Amino acid sequence: MSLRLGDIAPDFTAETTQGTINFHEWLGNSWGLLFSHPADFTPVCTTELGKTALLRGEFERRNVKVIAVSVDDLDSHNKWVPDIQEVNNVEVNFPIIADGDRNVATLYDMIHPNASEKATVRSVFVIGPDKKIKLTLTYPASTGRNFQEILRVIDSLQLTANYQVATPADWKDGDDTIVVPAVSTEDAIAKFPKGVNVVKPYLRYTPQPNK
């Protein structure tokens, strides 16, 4: 059964390039980004894991722990990491799960048989501090992920978790936000002192409240 938004992210224990982890314990009170790649020693995956390492500061600033997974074994991961580091001129600073028994891939429905019977697709799961799934994305093996979009969505998720706002199309950190329908215009004016721009009774913009 596929996982849905709001479901508790399945817990697991796994071997990684940074030792054995219990997923929920490892996450602690942080946000989490769990993403799968089809296979080690493949070109697109090499660029993706390198990009993730290069964005370490961006993830840390957002209190996000990153972890990758594929069905390759630990020995394969450890042999591949130097290539990632050389190609991208960066240290791989996050764990990569060795999921040879496909336990994690099965728990998170990462193998889509009509795409590949063996390799994982490019799945993305953003998990909140409450261990609930906040975002899922699935890319085919031929398309590398847009990590700026992943960061953008994390910004939106963290903002909207703390304020009664939503984010419009193409929103990015610093742009105006939308007052959620559950808040009346009268209450919105009191709640958001930076101002409320009423375009329609149901469409009210306000400057990003945490800026």
Side-chain angles (χ1 to χ4, degrees):
M1 183 181 237
S2 61
L3 295 169
R4 297 178 178 179
L5 300 184
D7 288 352
I8 296 292
D11 196 13
F12 57 83
T13 299
E15 294 297 318
T16 81
T17 51
Q18 295 184 2
T20 303
I21 67 155
N22 174 276
F23 187 50
H24 283 190
E25 183 180 317
W26 176 80
L27 282 173
N29 294 320
S30 299
W31 288 71
L33 174 67
L34 170 67
F35 70 106
S36 60
H37 59 277
D40 295 352
F41 297 102
T42 52
V44 177
C45 301
T46 301
T47 66
E48 286 193 319
L49 271 72
K51 185 65 174 180
T52 304
L54 286 165
L55 290 170
R56 175 179 182 173
E58 294 297 322
F59 287 116
E60 287 181 346
R61 184 164 65 83
R62 293 165 172 83
N63 190 32
V64 177
K65 289 186 173 180
V66 176
I67 190 165
V69 58
S70 80
V71 297
D72 299 283
D73 62 27
L74 194 58
D75 184 56
S76 175
H77 286 343
N78 285 328
K79 289 178 179 177
W80 180 41
V81 164
D83 282 5
I84 300 170
Q85 297 183 151
E86 176 189 351
V87 169
N88 298 281
N89 192 29
V90 68
E91 178 186 355
V92 175
N93 39 46
F94 54 88
I96 307 171
I97 296 167
D99 194 36
D101 62 3
R102 303 187 188 181
N103 178 48
V104 176
T106 301
L107 284 173
Y108 284 82
D109 195 28
M110 292 171 167
I111 295 177
H112 297 191
N114 290 331
S116 171
E117 292 185 357
K118 296 180 179 180
T120 52
V121 291
R122 298 187 193 282
S123 297
V124 178
F125 293 89
V126 174
I127 299 156
D130 58 2
K131 308 300 183 291
K132 291 183 179 180
I133 294 171
K134 307 299 183 182
L135 171 82
T136 65
L137 291 169
T138 304
Y139 292 70
S142 58
T143 304
R145 281 161 278 218
N146 183 333
F147 283 86
Q148 293 302 320
E149 168 63 6
I150 292 171
L151 288 171
R152 186 191 78 89
V153 176
I154 291 170
D155 285 339
S156 174
L157 289 168
Q158 294 183 341
L159 173 67
T160 58
N162 292 308
Y163 299 91
Q164 290 183 293
V165 295
T167 55
D170 295 333
W171 175 89
K172 56 185 182 299
D173 189 42
D175 289 351
D176 286 355
T177 61
I178 293 173
V179 179
V180 297
V183 178
S184 70
T185 298
E186 182 181 2
D187 288 345
I189 291 169
K191 185 180 287 287
F192 300 111
K194 295 177 184 177
V196 176
N197 175 22
V198 180
V199 178
K200 293 286 185 181
Y202 56 84
L203 176 57
R204 293 129 339 137
Y205 288 94
T206 188
Q208 185 171 327
N210 63 347
K211 290 291 185 181

PDB file of all heavy atoms in Angstrom, residues 113-151:
ATOM      1  N   PRO A 113       7.385  -1.764 -10.462  1.00  0.00           N
ATOM      2  CA  PRO A 113       7.725  -2.848 -11.393  1.00  0.00           C
ATOM      3  C   PRO A 113       7.586  -2.500 -12.870  1.00  0.00           C
ATOM      4  O   PRO A 113       8.332  -3.028 -13.699  1.00  0.00           O
ATOM      5  CB  PRO A 113       6.744  -3.960 -10.994  1.00  0.00           C
ATOM      6  CG  PRO A 113       6.412  -3.680  -9.574  1.00  0.00           C
ATOM      7  CD  PRO A 113       6.410  -2.187  -9.452  1.00  0.00           C
ATOM      8  N   ASN A 114       6.661  -1.611 -13.198  1.00  0.00           N
ATOM      9  CA  ASN A 114       6.506  -1.254 -14.612  1.00  0.00           C
ATOM     10  C   ASN A 114       7.611  -0.328 -15.105  1.00  0.00           C
ATOM     11  O   ASN A 114       7.778  -0.126 -16.311  1.00  0.00           O
ATOM     12  CB  ASN A 114       5.144  -0.602 -14.855  1.00  0.00           C
ATOM     13  CG  ASN A 114       4.002  -1.598 -14.728  1.00  0.00           C
ATOM     14  OD1 ASN A 114       4.185  -2.790 -14.992  1.00  0.00           O
ATOM     15  ND2 ASN A 114       2.834  -1.139 -14.313  1.00  0.00           N
ATOM     16  N   ALA A 115       8.371   0.236 -14.168  1.00  0.00           N
ATOM     17  CA  ALA A 115       9.544   1.040 -14.533  1.00  0.00           C
ATOM     18  C   ALA A 115      10.806   0.189 -14.449  1.00  0.00           C
ATOM     19  O   ALA A 115      11.658   0.219 -15.334  1.00  0.00           O
ATOM     20  CB  ALA A 115       9.663   2.254 -13.613  1.00  0.00           C
ATOM     21  N   SER A 116      10.943  -0.556 -13.359  1.00  0.00           N
ATOM     22  CA  SER A 116      12.060  -1.479 -13.164  1.00  0.00           C
ATOM     23  C   SER A 116      11.686  -2.453 -12.068  1.00  0.00           C
ATOM     24  O   SER A 116      11.155  -2.056 -11.033  1.00  0.00           O
ATOM     25  CB  SER A 116      13.343  -0.735 -12.777  1.00  0.00           C
ATOM     26  OG  SER A 116      14.355  -1.652 -12.395  1.00  0.00           O
ATOM     27  N   GLU A 117      11.951  -3.724 -12.289  1.00  0.00           N
ATOM     28  CA  GLU A 117      11.602  -4.735 -11.294  1.00  0.00           C
ATOM     29  C   GLU A 117      12.617  -4.781 -10.153  1.00  0.00           C
ATOM     30  O   GLU A 117      12.346  -5.358  -9.104  1.00  0.00           O
ATOM     31  CB  GLU A 117      11.494  -6.110 -11.950  1.00  0.00           C
ATOM     32  CG  GLU A 117      10.314  -6.231 -12.912  1.00  0.00           C
ATOM     33  CD  GLU A 117      10.166  -7.631 -13.463  1.00  0.00           C
ATOM     34  OE1 GLU A 117      11.015  -8.485 -13.131  1.00  0.00           O
ATOM     35  OE2 GLU A 117       9.214  -7.876 -14.229  1.00  0.00           O
ATOM     36  N   LYS A 118      13.791  -4.196 -10.355  1.00  0.00           N
ATOM     37  CA  LYS A 118      14.865  -4.311  -9.362  1.00  0.00           C
ATOM     38  C   LYS A 118      15.278  -2.982  -8.746  1.00  0.00           C
ATOM     39  O   LYS A 118      15.482  -2.883  -7.547  1.00  0.00           O
ATOM     40  CB  LYS A 118      16.088  -4.978 -10.005  1.00  0.00           C
ATOM     41  CG  LYS A 118      15.839  -6.401 -10.456  1.00  0.00           C
ATOM     42  CD  LYS A 118      17.101  -6.994 -11.083  1.00  0.00           C
ATOM     43  CE  LYS A 118      16.857  -8.433 -11.527  1.00  0.00           C
ATOM     44  NZ  LYS A 118      18.071  -9.023 -12.149  1.00  0.00           N
ATOM     45  N   ALA A 119      15.405  -1.950  -9.576  1.00  0.00           N
ATOM     46  CA  ALA A 119      15.941  -0.679  -9.089  1.00  0.00           C
ATOM     47  C   ALA A 119      14.837   0.208  -8.520  1.00  0.00           C
ATOM     48  O   ALA A 119      13.679   0.149  -8.950  1.00  0.00           O
ATOM     49  CB  ALA A 119      16.655   0.054 -10.225  1.00  0.00           C
ATOM     50  N   THR A 120      15.203   1.023  -7.554  1.00  0.00           N
ATOM     51  CA  THR A 120      14.261   1.999  -7.022  1.00  0.00           C
ATOM     52  C   THR A 120      14.111   3.159  -7.995  1.00  0.00           C
ATOM     53  O   THR A 120      15.054   3.515  -8.707  1.00  0.00           O
ATOM     54  CB  THR A 120      14.747   2.545  -5.665  1.00  0.00           C
ATOM     55  OG1 THR A 120      16.096   2.998  -5.810  1.00  0.00           O
ATOM     56  CG2 THR A 120      14.692   1.480  -4.594  1.00  0.00           C
ATOM     57  N   VAL A 121      12.934   3.751  -8.020  1.00  0.00           N
ATOM     58  CA  VAL A 121      12.742   4.999  -8.755  1.00  0.00           C
ATOM     59  C   VAL A 121      13.340   6.127  -7.912  1.00  0.00           C
ATOM     60  O   VAL A 121      13.831   5.906  -6.809  1.00  0.00           O
ATOM     61  CB  VAL A 121      11.244   5.261  -9.042  1.00  0.00           C
ATOM     62  CG1 VAL A 121      10.723   4.252 -10.042  1.00  0.00           C
ATOM     63  CG2 VAL A 121      10.424   5.247  -7.761  1.00  0.00           C
ATOM     64  N   ARG A 122      13.298   7.358  -8.425  1.00  0.00           N
ATOM     65  CA  ARG A 122      13.827   8.492  -7.662  1.00  0.00           C
ATOM     66  C   ARG A 122      12.726   9.056  -6.760  1.00  0.00           C
ATOM     67  O   ARG A 122      12.043  10.018  -7.096  1.00  0.00           O
ATOM     68  CB  ARG A 122      14.362   9.570  -8.616  1.00  0.00           C
ATOM     69  CG  ARG A 122      15.509   9.096  -9.477  1.00  0.00           C
ATOM     70  CD  ARG A 122      16.139  10.208 -10.302  1.00  0.00           C
ATOM     71  NE  ARG A 122      16.996   9.639 -11.313  1.00  0.00           N
ATOM     72  CZ  ARG A 122      18.229   9.169 -11.094  1.00  0.00           C
ATOM     73  NH1 ARG A 122      18.736   9.220  -9.891  1.00  0.00           N
ATOM     74  NH2 ARG A 122      18.939   8.648 -12.071  1.00  0.00           N
ATOM     75  N   SER A 123      12.560   8.414  -5.625  1.00  0.00           N
ATOM     76  CA  SER A 123      11.542   8.838  -4.663  1.00  0.00           C
ATOM     77  C   SER A 123      12.107   9.889  -3.713  1.00  0.00           C
ATOM     78  O   SER A 123      13.292   9.862  -3.389  1.00  0.00           O
ATOM     79  CB  SER A 123      11.050   7.651  -3.830  1.00  0.00           C
ATOM     80  OG  SER A 123      10.417   6.689  -4.646  1.00  0.00           O
ATOM     81  N   VAL A 124      11.222  10.797  -3.292  1.00  0.00           N
ATOM     82  CA  VAL A 124      11.574  11.817  -2.298  1.00  0.00           C
ATOM     83  C   VAL A 124      10.485  11.820  -1.227  1.00  0.00           C
ATOM     84  O   VAL A 124       9.298  11.873  -1.551  1.00  0.00           O
ATOM     85  CB  VAL A 124      11.661  13.228  -2.923  1.00  0.00           C
ATOM     86  CG1 VAL A 124      11.985  14.272  -1.858  1.00  0.00           C
ATOM     87  CG2 VAL A 124      12.692  13.268  -4.040  1.00  0.00           C
ATOM     88  N   PHE A 125      10.910  11.768   0.029  1.00  0.00           N
ATOM     89  CA  PHE A 125       9.984  11.905   1.152  1.00  0.00           C
ATOM     90  C   PHE A 125      10.515  12.975   2.082  1.00  0.00           C
ATOM     91  O   PHE A 125      11.653  12.888   2.544  1.00  0.00           O
ATOM     92  CB  PHE A 125       9.848  10.585   1.921  1.00  0.00           C
ATOM     93  CG  PHE A 125       9.178   9.489   1.141  1.00  0.00           C
ATOM     94  CD1 PHE A 125       9.926   8.642   0.338  1.00  0.00           C
ATOM     95  CD2 PHE A 125       7.805   9.308   1.211  1.00  0.00           C
ATOM     96  CE1 PHE A 125       9.316   7.636  -0.395  1.00  0.00           C
ATOM     97  CE2 PHE A 125       7.182   8.309   0.489  1.00  0.00           C
ATOM     98  CZ  PHE A 125       7.940   7.461  -0.323  1.00  0.00           C
ATOM     99  N   VAL A 126       9.694  13.987   2.351  1.00  0.00           N
ATOM    100  CA  VAL A 126      10.009  14.965   3.393  1.00  0.00           C
ATOM    101  C   VAL A 126       9.168  14.601   4.602  1.00  0.00           C
ATOM    102  O   VAL A 126       7.951  14.428   4.504  1.00  0.00           O
ATOM    103  CB  VAL A 126       9.721  16.411   2.935  1.00  0.00           C
ATOM    104  CG1 VAL A 126       9.932  17.381   4.097  1.00  0.00           C
ATOM    105  CG2 VAL A 126      10.625  16.788   1.764  1.00  0.00           C
ATOM    106  N   ILE A 127       9.833  14.483   5.736  1.00  0.00           N
ATOM    107  CA  ILE A 127       9.205  14.001   6.961  1.00  0.00           C
ATOM    108  C   ILE A 127       9.364  15.049   8.048  1.00  0.00           C
ATOM    109  O   ILE A 127      10.455  15.605   8.234  1.00  0.00           O
ATOM    110  CB  ILE A 127       9.852  12.665   7.392  1.00  0.00           C
ATOM    111  CG1 ILE A 127       9.629  11.618   6.287  1.00  0.00           C
ATOM    112  CG2 ILE A 127       9.298  12.175   8.720  1.00  0.00           C
ATOM    113  CD1 ILE A 127      10.627  10.498   6.290  1.00  0.00           C
ATOM    114  N   GLY A 128       8.277  15.359   8.745  1.00  0.00           N
ATOM    115  CA  GLY A 128       8.303  16.389   9.777  1.00  0.00           C
ATOM    116  C   GLY A 128       8.827  15.861  11.098  1.00  0.00           C
ATOM    117  O   GLY A 128       8.998  14.650  11.283  1.00  0.00           O
ATOM    118  N   PRO A 129       9.068  16.758  12.053  1.00  0.00           N
ATOM    119  CA  PRO A 129       9.523  16.333  13.390  1.00  0.00           C
ATOM    120  C   PRO A 129       8.523  15.417  14.092  1.00  0.00           C
ATOM    121  O   PRO A 129       8.895  14.681  15.011  1.00  0.00           O
ATOM    122  CB  PRO A 129       9.679  17.656  14.143  1.00  0.00           C
ATOM    123  CG  PRO A 129       9.852  18.692  13.083  1.00  0.00           C
ATOM    124  CD  PRO A 129       9.027  18.224  11.926  1.00  0.00           C
ATOM    125  N   ASP A 130       7.261  15.454  13.660  1.00  0.00           N
ATOM    126  CA  ASP A 130       6.242  14.559  14.218  1.00  0.00           C
ATOM    127  C   ASP A 130       6.263  13.184  13.556  1.00  0.00           C
ATOM    128  O   ASP A 130       5.404  12.349  13.819  1.00  0.00           O
ATOM    129  CB  ASP A 130       4.851  15.179  14.097  1.00  0.00           C
ATOM    130  CG  ASP A 130       4.478  15.515  12.649  1.00  0.00           C
ATOM    131  OD1 ASP A 130       5.277  15.228  11.724  1.00  0.00           O
ATOM    132  OD2 ASP A 130       3.384  16.085  12.440  1.00  0.00           O
ATOM    133  N   LYS A 131       7.243  12.959  12.663  1.00  0.00           N
ATOM    134  CA  LYS A 131       7.454  11.690  11.936  1.00  0.00           C
ATOM    135  C   LYS A 131       6.372  11.427  10.883  1.00  0.00           C
ATOM    136  O   LYS A 131       6.268  10.311  10.373  1.00  0.00           O
ATOM    137  CB  LYS A 131       7.550  10.491  12.903  1.00  0.00           C
ATOM    138  CG  LYS A 131       8.552  10.665  14.030  1.00  0.00           C
ATOM    139  CD  LYS A 131       9.957  10.866  13.540  1.00  0.00           C
ATOM    140  CE  LYS A 131      10.974  10.969  14.670  1.00  0.00           C
ATOM    141  NZ  LYS A 131      10.864  12.196  15.473  1.00  0.00           N
ATOM    142  N   LYS A 132       5.611  12.455  10.554  1.00  0.00           N
ATOM    143  CA  LYS A 132       4.589  12.294   9.514  1.00  0.00           C
ATOM    144  C   LYS A 132       5.125  12.745   8.160  1.00  0.00           C
ATOM    145  O   LYS A 132       5.960  13.649   8.080  1.00  0.00           O
ATOM    146  CB  LYS A 132       3.334  13.090   9.875  1.00  0.00           C
ATOM    147  CG  LYS A 132       2.582  12.530  11.075  1.00  0.00           C
ATOM    148  CD  LYS A 132       1.308  13.308  11.352  1.00  0.00           C
ATOM    149  CE  LYS A 132       0.554  12.708  12.536  1.00  0.00           C
ATOM    150  NZ  LYS A 132      -0.698  13.449  12.822  1.00  0.00           N
ATOM    151  N   ILE A 133       4.642  12.103   7.117  1.00  0.00           N
ATOM    152  CA  ILE A 133       5.070  12.430   5.755  1.00  0.00           C
ATOM    153  C   ILE A 133       4.408  13.722   5.316  1.00  0.00           C
ATOM    154  O   ILE A 133       3.178  13.845   5.341  1.00  0.00           O
ATOM    155  CB  ILE A 133       4.731  11.277   4.794  1.00  0.00           C
ATOM    156  CG1 ILE A 133       5.561  10.032   5.159  1.00  0.00           C
ATOM    157  CG2 ILE A 133       4.983  11.678   3.345  1.00  0.00           C
ATOM    158  CD1 ILE A 133       5.157   8.786   4.424  1.00  0.00           C
ATOM    159  N   LYS A 134       5.218  14.692   4.940  1.00  0.00           N
ATOM    160  CA  LYS A 134       4.723  16.013   4.538  1.00  0.00           C
ATOM    161  C   LYS A 134       4.736  16.203   3.019  1.00  0.00           C
ATOM    162  O   LYS A 134       3.999  17.038   2.495  1.00  0.00           O
ATOM    163  CB  LYS A 134       5.593  17.104   5.173  1.00  0.00           C
ATOM    164  CG  LYS A 134       5.755  16.993   6.681  1.00  0.00           C
ATOM    165  CD  LYS A 134       4.429  17.092   7.420  1.00  0.00           C
ATOM    166  CE  LYS A 134       4.637  17.051   8.930  1.00  0.00           C
ATOM    167  NZ  LYS A 134       3.366  17.091   9.668  1.00  0.00           N
ATOM    168  N   LEU A 135       5.597  15.456   2.330  1.00  0.00           N
ATOM    169  CA  LEU A 135       5.727  15.612   0.873  1.00  0.00           C
ATOM    170  C   LEU A 135       6.223  14.307   0.280  1.00  0.00           C
ATOM    171  O   LEU A 135       7.078  13.639   0.861  1.00  0.00           O
ATOM    172  CB  LEU A 135       6.732  16.719   0.538  1.00  0.00           C
ATOM    173  CG  LEU A 135       7.119  16.822  -0.949  1.00  0.00           C
ATOM    174  CD1 LEU A 135       6.073  17.611  -1.711  1.00  0.00           C
ATOM    175  CD2 LEU A 135       8.489  17.461  -1.123  1.00  0.00           C
ATOM    176  N   THR A 136       5.683  13.946  -0.877  1.00  0.00           N
ATOM    177  CA  THR A 136       6.237  12.847  -1.668  1.00  0.00           C
ATOM    178  C   THR A 136       6.418  13.323  -3.101  1.00  0.00           C
ATOM    179  O   THR A 136       5.579  14.070  -3.633  1.00  0.00           O
ATOM    180  CB  THR A 136       5.323  11.604  -1.667  1.00  0.00           C
ATOM    181  OG1 THR A 136       4.082  11.918  -2.320  1.00  0.00           O
ATOM    182  CG2 THR A 136       5.055  11.120  -0.260  1.00  0.00           C
ATOM    183  N   LEU A 137       7.514  12.923  -3.704  1.00  0.00           N
ATOM    184  CA  LEU A 137       7.785  13.202  -5.112  1.00  0.00           C
ATOM    185  C   LEU A 137       8.359  11.936  -5.738  1.00  0.00           C
ATOM    186  O   LEU A 137       9.107  11.203  -5.077  1.00  0.00           O
ATOM    187  CB  LEU A 137       8.798  14.333  -5.285  1.00  0.00           C
ATOM    188  CG  LEU A 137       8.400  15.757  -4.905  1.00  0.00           C
ATOM    189  CD1 LEU A 137       9.635  16.657  -4.894  1.00  0.00           C
ATOM    190  CD2 LEU A 137       7.370  16.289  -5.894  1.00  0.00           C
ATOM    191  N   THR A 138       8.039  11.690  -6.990  1.00  0.00           N
ATOM    192  CA  THR A 138       8.597  10.536  -7.694  1.00  0.00           C
ATOM    193  C   THR A 138       9.076  10.967  -9.074  1.00  0.00           C
ATOM    194  O   THR A 138       8.294  11.502  -9.860  1.00  0.00           O
ATOM    195  CB  THR A 138       7.558   9.413  -7.846  1.00  0.00           C
ATOM    196  OG1 THR A 138       7.062   9.050  -6.555  1.00  0.00           O
ATOM    197  CG2 THR A 138       8.173   8.190  -8.501  1.00  0.00           C
ATOM    198  N   TYR A 139      10.356  10.741  -9.320  1.00  0.00           N
ATOM    199  CA  TYR A 139      10.952  11.055 -10.612  1.00  0.00           C
ATOM    200  C   TYR A 139      11.364   9.751 -11.300  1.00  0.00           C
ATOM    201  O   TYR A 139      11.755   8.792 -10.624  1.00  0.00           O
ATOM    202  CB  TYR A 139      12.225  11.890 -10.446  1.00  0.00           C
ATOM    203  CG  TYR A 139      12.062  13.293  -9.925  1.00  0.00           C
ATOM    204  CD1 TYR A 139      11.691  13.546  -8.609  1.00  0.00           C
ATOM    205  CD2 TYR A 139      12.325  14.392 -10.742  1.00  0.00           C
ATOM    206  CE1 TYR A 139      11.577  14.837  -8.118  1.00  0.00           C
ATOM    207  CE2 TYR A 139      12.214  15.686 -10.259  1.00  0.00           C
ATOM    208  CZ  TYR A 139      11.844  15.904  -8.952  1.00  0.00           C
ATOM    209  OH  TYR A 139      11.738  17.180  -8.463  1.00  0.00           O
ATOM    210  N   PRO A 140      11.349   9.722 -12.630  1.00  0.00           N
ATOM    211  CA  PRO A 140      11.874   8.543 -13.328  1.00  0.00           C
ATOM    212  C   PRO A 140      13.393   8.511 -13.254  1.00  0.00           C
ATOM    213  O   PRO A 140      14.042   9.517 -12.941  1.00  0.00           O
ATOM    214  CB  PRO A 140      11.393   8.763 -14.771  1.00  0.00           C
ATOM    215  CG  PRO A 140      11.319  10.250 -14.915  1.00  0.00           C
ATOM    216  CD  PRO A 140      10.870  10.762 -13.562  1.00  0.00           C
ATOM    217  N   ALA A 141      13.946   7.364 -13.573  1.00  0.00           N
ATOM    218  CA  ALA A 141      15.401   7.189 -13.496  1.00  0.00           C
ATOM    219  C   ALA A 141      16.142   8.145 -14.420  1.00  0.00           C
ATOM    220  O   ALA A 141      17.273   8.547 -14.139  1.00  0.00           O
ATOM    221  CB  ALA A 141      15.762   5.747 -13.836  1.00  0.00           C
ATOM    222  N   SER A 142      15.509   8.564 -15.500  1.00  0.00           N
ATOM    223  CA  SER A 142      16.187   9.385 -16.502  1.00  0.00           C
ATOM    224  C   SER A 142      16.241  10.868 -16.152  1.00  0.00           C
ATOM    225  O   SER A 142      16.923  11.642 -16.824  1.00  0.00           O
ATOM    226  CB  SER A 142      15.477   9.234 -17.852  1.00  0.00           C
ATOM    227  OG  SER A 142      14.110   9.600 -17.737  1.00  0.00           O
ATOM    228  N   THR A 143      15.538  11.274 -15.086  1.00  0.00           N
ATOM    229  CA  THR A 143      15.433  12.703 -14.760  1.00  0.00           C
ATOM    230  C   THR A 143      15.981  12.986 -13.367  1.00  0.00           C
ATOM    231  O   THR A 143      15.434  12.519 -12.368  1.00  0.00           O
ATOM    232  CB  THR A 143      13.959  13.162 -14.824  1.00  0.00           C
ATOM    233  OG1 THR A 143      13.431  12.860 -16.120  1.00  0.00           O
ATOM    234  CG2 THR A 143      13.837  14.653 -14.556  1.00  0.00           C
ATOM    235  N   GLY A 144      17.043  13.778 -13.313  1.00  0.00           N
ATOM    236  CA  GLY A 144      17.603  14.178 -12.030  1.00  0.00           C
ATOM    237  C   GLY A 144      16.682  15.158 -11.323  1.00  0.00           C
ATOM    238  O   GLY A 144      15.980  15.956 -11.952  1.00  0.00           O
ATOM    239  N   ARG A 145      16.704  15.111 -10.007  1.00  0.00           N
ATOM    240  CA  ARG A 145      15.811  15.959  -9.219  1.00  0.00           C
ATOM    241  C   ARG A 145      16.273  17.410  -9.183  1.00  0.00           C
ATOM    242  O   ARG A 145      17.467  17.702  -9.294  1.00  0.00           O
ATOM    243  CB  ARG A 145      15.730  15.412  -7.784  1.00  0.00           C
ATOM    244  CG  ARG A 145      14.803  14.228  -7.665  1.00  0.00           C
ATOM    245  CD  ARG A 145      15.069  13.432  -6.410  1.00  0.00           C
ATOM    246  NE  ARG A 145      16.190  12.519  -6.598  1.00  0.00           N
ATOM    247  CZ  ARG A 145      16.251  11.287  -6.086  1.00  0.00           C
ATOM    248  NH1 ARG A 145      15.272  10.827  -5.354  1.00  0.00           N
ATOM    249  NH2 ARG A 145      17.291  10.517  -6.311  1.00  0.00           N
ATOM    250  N   ASN A 146      15.312  18.302  -8.982  1.00  0.00           N
ATOM    251  CA  ASN A 146      15.590  19.725  -8.815  1.00  0.00           C
ATOM    252  C   ASN A 146      15.658  20.005  -7.311  1.00  0.00           C
ATOM    253  O   ASN A 146      14.634  20.120  -6.641  1.00  0.00           O
ATOM    254  CB  ASN A 146      14.481  20.558  -9.477  1.00  0.00           C
ATOM    255  CG  ASN A 146      14.750  22.040  -9.409  1.00  0.00           C
ATOM    256  OD1 ASN A 146      15.440  22.529  -8.508  1.00  0.00           O
ATOM    257  ND2 ASN A 146      14.206  22.779 -10.358  1.00  0.00           N
ATOM    258  N   PHE A 147      16.867  20.116  -6.792  1.00  0.00           N
ATOM    259  CA  PHE A 147      17.018  20.259  -5.345  1.00  0.00           C
ATOM    260  C   PHE A 147      16.646  21.655  -4.860  1.00  0.00           C
ATOM    261  O   PHE A 147      16.309  21.827  -3.689  1.00  0.00           O
ATOM    262  CB  PHE A 147      18.433  19.869  -4.931  1.00  0.00           C
ATOM    263  CG  PHE A 147      18.626  18.375  -4.913  1.00  0.00           C
ATOM    264  CD1 PHE A 147      18.983  17.694  -6.063  1.00  0.00           C
ATOM    265  CD2 PHE A 147      18.386  17.651  -3.762  1.00  0.00           C
ATOM    266  CE1 PHE A 147      19.132  16.312  -6.054  1.00  0.00           C
ATOM    267  CE2 PHE A 147      18.527  16.274  -3.738  1.00  0.00           C
ATOM    268  CZ  PHE A 147      18.903  15.597  -4.893  1.00  0.00           C
ATOM    269  N   GLN A 148      16.670  22.635  -5.747  1.00  0.00           N
ATOM    270  CA  GLN A 148      16.170  23.952  -5.353  1.00  0.00           C
ATOM    271  C   GLN A 148      14.668  23.896  -5.108  1.00  0.00           C
ATOM    272  O   GLN A 148      14.145  24.570  -4.219  1.00  0.00           O
ATOM    273  CB  GLN A 148      16.517  24.997  -6.418  1.00  0.00           C
ATOM    274  CG  GLN A 148      18.002  25.277  -6.547  1.00  0.00           C
ATOM    275  CD  GLN A 148      18.623  25.753  -5.245  1.00  0.00           C
ATOM    276  OE1 GLN A 148      18.023  26.540  -4.506  1.00  0.00           O
ATOM    277  NE2 GLN A 148      19.831  25.293  -4.955  1.00  0.00           N
ATOM    278  N   GLU A 149      13.971  23.091  -5.887  1.00  0.00           N
ATOM    279  CA  GLU A 149      12.528  22.918  -5.660  1.00  0.00           C
ATOM    280  C   GLU A 149      12.278  22.204  -4.339  1.00  0.00           C
ATOM    281  O   GLU A 149      11.354  22.554  -3.596  1.00  0.00           O
ATOM    282  CB  GLU A 149      11.906  22.144  -6.823  1.00  0.00           C
ATOM    283  CG  GLU A 149      10.482  21.648  -6.598  1.00  0.00           C
ATOM    284  CD  GLU A 149       9.445  22.742  -6.396  1.00  0.00           C
ATOM    285  OE1 GLU A 149       9.778  23.955  -6.529  1.00  0.00           O
ATOM    286  OE2 GLU A 149       8.290  22.415  -6.082  1.00  0.00           O
ATOM    287  N   ILE A 150      13.097  21.222  -4.025  1.00  0.00           N
ATOM    288  CA  ILE A 150      12.939  20.519  -2.751  1.00  0.00           C
ATOM    289  C   ILE A 150      13.148  21.482  -1.584  1.00  0.00           C
ATOM    290  O   ILE A 150      12.375  21.490  -0.622  1.00  0.00           O
ATOM    291  CB  ILE A 150      13.897  19.315  -2.682  1.00  0.00           C
ATOM    292  CG1 ILE A 150      13.461  18.249  -3.707  1.00  0.00           C
ATOM    293  CG2 ILE A 150      13.931  18.725  -1.275  1.00  0.00           C
ATOM    294  CD1 ILE A 150      14.441  17.121  -3.889  1.00  0.00           C
ATOM    295  N   LEU A 151      14.160  22.340  -1.671  1.00  0.00           N
ATOM    296  CA  LEU A 151      14.384  23.335  -0.628  1.00  0.00           C
ATOM    297  C   LEU A 151      13.218  24.317  -0.543  1.00  0.00           C
ATOM    298  O   LEU A 151      12.785  24.710   0.542  1.00  0.00           O
ATOM    299  CB  LEU A 151      15.683  24.100  -0.893  1.00  0.00           C
ATOM    300  CG  LEU A 151      16.983  23.318  -0.671  1.00  0.00           C
ATOM    301  CD1 LEU A 151      18.163  24.140  -1.177  1.00  0.00           C
ATOM    302  CD2 LEU A 151      17.178  22.963   0.795  1.00  0.00           C
TER     303      LEU A 151
END
